[in-house]
Amino acid sequence: MKEQVLAVQRMQDYIETNNTEEISLSDLARASLFSPWYSYRLFRDCLGLTPTEYIRKYRLTQAAKQLRSGDVKVIDAAMDAGFSNVDTFTRAFYREFGLNPSDYVKNPVPI
């Protein structure tokens, strides 16, 4: 079991290191040293999220931290988080945190 936990940690490290890049299941499988199918299952079973869900949450959380600092515009946070446009970012941010990014900038709450 320890080897599987380390594999998930390696995948998380890979996501953190490459969070602005396109990350595929094959990339995560290489990081975990297991097959793509087994890597996906390990990740989901250990964290309760699929790799795609985890990456989206991670990127949105990083964007929220940037917005909380007040030094960045919403469009810049969206692009830094790997979103191709602000509308997609705004919808994802709202689904995740329950408020629009511009509202979050005005009244940042703990995430």
Side-chain angles (χ1 to χ4, degrees), residues 10-59:
R10 285 192 299 269
M11 287 187 277
Q12 288 176 296
D13 291 342
Y14 182 87
I15 291 167
E16 285 181 34
T17 304
N18 300 286
N19 68 345
T20 59
E21 306 296 321
E22 189 71 31
I23 299 172
S24 69
L25 186 55
S26 297
D27 297 329
L28 294 178
R30 276 192 297 280
S32 73
L33 307 176
F34 287 109
S35 74
W37 178 84
Y38 190 66
S39 297
Y40 178 90
R41 205 174 103 217
L42 269 179
F43 199 96
R44 189 194 62 212
D45 291 349
C46 285
L47 299 178
L49 298 168
T50 67
T52 303
E53 292 168 336
Y54 180 87
I55 291 167
R56 187 186 72 247
K57 285 179 179 284
Y58 179 82
R59 288 177 175 169

Side-chain angles (χ1 to χ4, degrees), residues 70-86:
D71 296 337
V72 69
K73 295 179 183 179
V74 173
I75 190 166
D76 295 330
M79 296 302 147
D80 289 348
F83 287 84
S84 58
N85 68 56
V86 158

